[in-house]
């Protein structure tokens, strides 16, 4: 099974830029790159910050773009989004409690798309009602389970980012921990950094994002840091027993060098590029 993981696409009004980059153009560039190389993917998951300012026209444009794609796209919302505005364009993604939470059957197991949004804050929240929904899903849906969400559920050691992580991380962890044998992987975004780790033994990861990149400034105390790094998305490869998450830096514009054959018999000092 192959899945594509996009995050932090930050769509804007046409012509607007973020950090000198055009997020609308970069999102389309990432989609085209992914579809050209991964036409065998089963689905695309976009883990939030769909719009930079939660504008209605961004969601309408995104829905139109999704309709033209040859594979399904599953959306979550992040802190830059606006849930009420999002609901005007994507009402079918809400559960009975009014959250953007739903299950996606896959060829291997089930993906659960989670809602960590709260109004007027960049931090993530996961209330009792959301946690109860997740608990019920983990009890009943076929495994393995893949969780997709916007906010990081573990601290990353960078003070300004940890202030806006999933603040209800203990509640979230208490729900998933009893199902550590069923939850195969947690995929998130928010940090604009390539991350790997685990929560109660459950692996987690995040790619950088399709527009502006973060920088891991461990000395930062107030401001988030950014850097001119390539835009990226994730490519997830899974079997019944394995999971692998690539971060594909589609924004890299340098040379790709053929270093040599992987066959050991062909390795020698004359032909290997170094």
């Amino acid at each position: 099974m192959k899945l594509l993981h996009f995050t932090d696409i930050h769509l804007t009004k046409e012509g607007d830029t973020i950090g000198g980059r055009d997020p609308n153009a970069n999102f389309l560039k990432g989609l085209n790159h992914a579809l050209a190389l991964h036409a065998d993917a089963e689905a695309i998951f976009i883990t939030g910050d769909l719009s930079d300012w939660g504008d209605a026209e961004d969601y309408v444009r995104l829905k139109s773009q999704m309709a033209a794609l040859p594979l399904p796209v599953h959306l979550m919302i992040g802190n830059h989004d606006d849930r009420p505005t999002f609901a005007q364009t994507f009402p079918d993604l809400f559960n009975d409690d009014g959250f953007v939470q739903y299950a996606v059957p896959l060829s291997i197991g089930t993906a659960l798309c989670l809602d960590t949004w709260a109004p007027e804050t960049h931090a993530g929240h996961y209330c009792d009602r959301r946690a109860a929904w997740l608990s019920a899903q983990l009890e009943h849906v076929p495994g393995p389970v893949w969780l997709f969400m916007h906010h990081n559920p573990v601290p990353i050691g960078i003070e300004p980012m940890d202030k806006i992580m999933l603040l209800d991380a203990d509640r979230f962890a208490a729900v998933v921990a009893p199902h550590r044998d069923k939850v195969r992987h947690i995929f998130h975004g928010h940090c604009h950094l390539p991350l790997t780790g685990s929560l109660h033994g459950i692996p987690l990861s995040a790619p950088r994002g399709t527009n502006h990149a973060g920088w891991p400034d461990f000395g930062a105390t107030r401001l988030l840091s950014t850097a001119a790094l390539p835009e990226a998305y994730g490519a997830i490869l899974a079997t019944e027993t394995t999971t692998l998450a690539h971060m594909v830096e589609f924004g890299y514009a340098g040379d790709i060098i053929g270093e040599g054959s992987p066959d050991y018999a062909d390795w020698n000092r004359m032909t290997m590029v170094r």
Side-chain angles (χ1 to χ4, degrees), residues 6 26-27 29-30 33 209-211 230-233 248-252:
F6 281 66
N26 280 328
F27 174 55
K29 181 180 177 181
H33 188 278
T210 61
N211 194 65
E231 303 87 353
Y233 62 84
V248 183
E249 296 180 299
F250 70 90
Y252 174 69

Side-chain angles (χ1 to χ4, degrees), residues 61-102:
R61 188 183 332 113
L62 177 59
K63 187 171 186 177
S64 176
Q65 291 166 339
M66 289 170 49
L69 296 177
L71 68 168
V73 181
H74 306 292
L75 304 177
M76 283 130 278
I77 54 174
N79 50 289
H80 279 256
D81 292 302
D82 183 78
R83 189 192 287 134
T85 306
F86 179 81
Q88 297 171 14
T89 304
F90 296 102
D92 54 318
L93 298 186
F94 286 71
N95 66 9
D96 292 340
D97 289 325
F99 297 110
V100 187
Q101 299 207 130
Y102 55 97

Side-chain angles (χ1 to χ4, degrees), residues 77-84 115-120 125 130 151:
I77 54 174
N79 50 289
H80 279 256
D81 292 302
D82 183 78
R83 189 192 287 134
D115 182 339
T116 59
W117 183 89
E120 300 182 3
H125 292 266
R130 280 176 273 192
H151 289 85

Side-chain angles (χ1 to χ4, degrees), residues 208-231:
R208 183 177 292 132
T210 61
N211 194 65
H212 43 302
W215 177 260
D217 182 357
F218 292 97
T221 58
R222 189 173 69 88
L223 298 178
L224 300 172
S225 300
T226 188
L229 296 169
E231 303 87 353

Side-chain angles (χ1 to χ4, degrees), residues 7-257:
T7 194
D8 296 278
I9 62 177
H10 286 268
L11 301 181
T12 60
K13 294 181 179 179
E14 295 288 355
D16 285 358
T17 61
I18 303 173
R21 302 184 185 192
D22 184 339
N24 300 324
N26 280 328
F27 174 55
L28 291 177
K29 181 180 177 181
L31 281 178
N32 290 333
H33 188 278
L35 294 174
L37 292 180
H38 306 290
D40 56 338
E42 195 164 310
I44 298 174
F45 292 82
I46 309 181
T47 52
D49 282 358
L50 308 172
S51 169
D52 196 44
W53 292 101
D55 291 331
E57 54 264 41
D58 295 335
Y59 299 131
V60 171
R61 188 183 332 113
L62 177 59
K63 187 171 186 177
S64 176
Q65 291 166 339
M66 289 170 49
L69 296 177
L71 68 168
V73 181
H74 306 292
L75 304 177
M76 283 130 278
I77 54 174
N79 50 289
H80 279 256
D81 292 302
D82 183 78
R83 189 192 287 134
T85 306
F86 179 81
Q88 297 171 14
T89 304
F90 296 102
D92 54 318
L93 298 186
F94 286 71
N95 66 9
D96 292 340
D97 289 325
F99 297 110
V100 187
Q101 299 207 130
Y102 55 97
V104 179
L106 299 170
S107 60
I108 300 178
T110 307
L112 296 179
C113 299
L114 309 184
D115 182 339
T116 59
W117 183 89
E120 300 182 3
T121 177
H122 287 301
H125 292 266
Y126 209 66
C127 61
D128 287 331
R129 285 194 297 161
R130 280 176 273 192
W133 179 90
L134 177 57
S135 180
Q137 293 293 316
L138 290 174
E139 287 286 348
H140 297 109
V141 301
V145 170
W146 321 86
L147 298 182
F148 288 85
M149 59 197 296
H150 181 69
H151 289 85
N152 50 305
V154 300
I156 67 171
I158 299 172
E159 184 177 343
M161 182 58 71
D162 288 343
K163 290 178 180 178
I164 58 172
M165 63 174 281
L166 184 68
L167 299 186
D168 297 321
D170 289 344
R171 177 183 290 118
F172 175 78
V175 173
V176 301
H179 303 279
R180 62 173 63 91
D181 292 335
K182 190 174 189 179
V183 179
R184 177 78 68 82
H185 203 99
I186 301 169
F187 299 97
H188 68 88
H190 187 48
C191 302
H192 294 245
L193 294 167
L195 298 168
T196 61
S198 66
L199 174 64
H200 287 292
I202 302 169
L204 59 85
S205 64
R208 183 177 292 132
T210 61
N211 194 65
H212 43 302
W215 177 260
D217 182 357
F218 292 97
T221 58
R222 189 173 69 88
L223 298 178
L224 300 172
S225 300
T226 188
L229 296 169
E231 303 87 353
Y233 62 84
I236 302 158
L237 309 177
T239 70
E240 294 289 349
T241 57
T242 65
T243 307
L244 182 71
H246 286 272
M247 187 180 76
V248 183
E249 296 180 299
F250 70 90
Y252 174 69
D255 294 332
I256 307 296
I257 300 169

